[in-house]
Amino acid sequence: MIDIENFTRAGANTIPCFAPGTHIATARGDVPVEALRPDDLLRTQEGGLWPIRWLGRQRVRLAAQPAPLSLAPVRIVAHAFGPNRPARDLVVSPGHGIFWEGVLIPADHLVNGASVTRLWPAEITYYHVELDGHGIVLSENLPSESYLDEGNRAGFETLFGTRLPKPPPPAAARVFSGPALAAARAALRRRLVDLGHRPALALSLRLALPGGMVVEPLAARERDGRVEFRFAVPRATPARLLAPRAVPAEIPGGPADYRELGFAIHALLWENGARRVEIALDSPALGLGWHGLEGEGEARWRWLAGAGELLLPGAGRLSVTASALPGGVYYETAAPHPAPAAPAPTPPQSALVMPALTMPDLAAEAS
């Protein structure tokens, strides 16, 4: 199987890929994408039947990527857009176009921290389904695009079929901004209460350990517009910092930034008696689930992406200094995602300026 080690963000944002287990509507019923056959006819959202021309796949090791955010799969939970849309959780590549009101919207532009979120598996296999033309198929009953060759086929392993002689015209326009995107994001927001999502009332941080153990902070103290969380660490272990999540693009008048942000982490300190270890924000001890190092002046921080991996050197206490997205509506983090075997650091990316923020709820707890 092809192992993609150097995939650019531009490529990831244009390649439609399905995760294993995704059910695709065919003439013989809903079939997992990995079980599709050469003679299958796929149902389109208009009701027609299109033959599969080519099926490919690629394996991506997120932990080995220089920019894992560009490849991290996006999960759209069941019923996010309405009853049975999708019918089950749908997991696709970040650039997979979701068909909405006549246009295609990349899945990563629909991330909202609640019903549409990023996942952080150590690795994932993506499947690519090409038809006789660029079509809108039903994936878990949600209309989304088939594969469109834009010069990136060489990195895929062919399972069966032959490529088209030349790329077909796009089935619909792809949009990255504007009224159509705003309408789709608004439709997702209207559904959140029906799906049981609630904004986080208190901005809390937790520590997840192997075996499903979740550690609450011993204390949370506000200082200089930031909050210091302190945790008891029982042993040396790979852990995950869990924060509620928000998206800058959801803030009225905010930047067109569709990243899923937890808290901005400013400092990490592990202590055991007289031993003190400051864990650098660019340390390899920080694995998947973190955005790149950012800064303004001498200040530096890294945003959590919901479940940031952290290797801890032993039993002791961990202090985490954090602040939140100003004006962001936070949603509680879903169940922790599986940790990778070998975490890798994430390189810097464009900064979102992070002013100080006071947190009255946590300040009251710490007093």
Side-chain angles (χ1 to χ4, degrees), residues 180-205:
L181 174 60
R185 294 182 67 87
L188 289 167
R189 281 196 299 273
R190 288 193 295 269
R191 290 284 299 165
L192 291 180
V193 172
D194 292 340
L195 295 174
H197 295 286
R198 297 289 188 275
L201 298 179
L203 301 181
S204 61
L205 190 66

Side-chain angles (χ1 to χ4, degrees), residues 3-283:
D3 185 2
I4 305 301
E5 295 293 348
N6 293 295
F7 221 39
T8 65
R9 179 159 180 77
N13 273 345
T14 58
I15 301 177
C17 324
F18 296 105
T22 301
H23 291 82
I24 308 296
T26 75
R28 61 185 175 102
D30 287 353
V31 177
V33 64
E34 66 272 25
L36 290 174
R37 303 187 308 224
D39 58 348
D40 275 327
L41 298 174
L42 269 56
R43 296 192 180 277
T44 66
Q45 60 105 19
E46 296 92 353
L49 293 173
W50 286 26
I52 299 176
R53 182 63 180 254
W54 173 85
L55 186 74
R57 68 182 174 187
Q58 63 185 157
R59 183 179 64 195
V60 176
R61 294 178 180 172
L62 287 186
Q65 296 300 316
L69 178 68
S70 67
L71 290 163
V74 173
R75 175 176 59 191
I76 303 173
V77 303
H79 320 300
F81 280 99
N84 294 317
R85 297 186 63 197
R88 290 170 290 270
D89 287 6
L90 173 64
V91 179
V92 295
S93 61
H96 197 118
I98 304 301
F99 188 74
W100 170 263
E101 301 294 337
V103 299
L104 289 167
I105 301 174
D108 64 355
H109 279 51
L110 298 172
V111 166
N112 59 16
S115 61
V116 184
T117 59
R118 283 186 174 86
L119 303 179
W120 295 96
E123 71 175 41
I124 184 169
T125 297
Y126 282 129
Y127 287 82
H128 316 270
V129 183
E130 186 175 40
L131 308 179
D132 270 339
H134 189 217
I136 307 300
V137 301
L138 299 175
S139 48
E140 305 294 4
N141 200 46
L142 187 69
S144 70
E145 65 178 323
S146 65
Y147 173 71
L148 179 63
D149 186 2
E150 294 183 320
N152 44 42
R153 192 191 303 264
F156 310 150
E157 176 190 10
T158 296
L159 297 178
F160 63 76
T162 57
R163 60 184 295 178
L164 295 173
K166 63 179 181 178
R174 195 179 305 273
V175 301
F176 299 89
S177 61
L181 174 60
R185 294 182 67 87
L188 289 167
R189 281 196 299 273
R190 288 193 295 269
R191 290 284 299 165
L192 291 180
V193 172
D194 292 340
L195 295 174
H197 295 286
R198 297 289 188 275
L201 298 179
L203 301 181
S204 61
L205 190 66
R206 296 173 294 161
L207 189 69
L209 304 178
M213 180 180 180
V214 176
V215 178
E216 300 291 337
L218 297 171
R221 300 184 181 278
E222 185 181 4
R223 181 181 303 166
D224 299 328
R226 299 173 182 175
V227 177
E228 181 186 47
F229 298 90
R230 294 183 179 178
F231 298 92
V233 179
R235 59 188 179 277
T237 184
R240 278 155 291 168
L241 285 171
L242 305 180
R245 295 172 288 189
V247 176
E250 293 286 353
I251 301 172
D257 185 338
Y258 298 98
R259 291 181 299 164
E260 193 172 46
L261 303 181
F263 293 162
I265 304 301
H266 301 270
L268 296 162
L269 175 64
W270 175 88
E271 300 175 272
N272 186 335
R275 187 182 175 198
R276 294 164 57 89
V277 177
E278 292 186 9
I279 303 173
L281 295 178
D282 59 355
S283 167

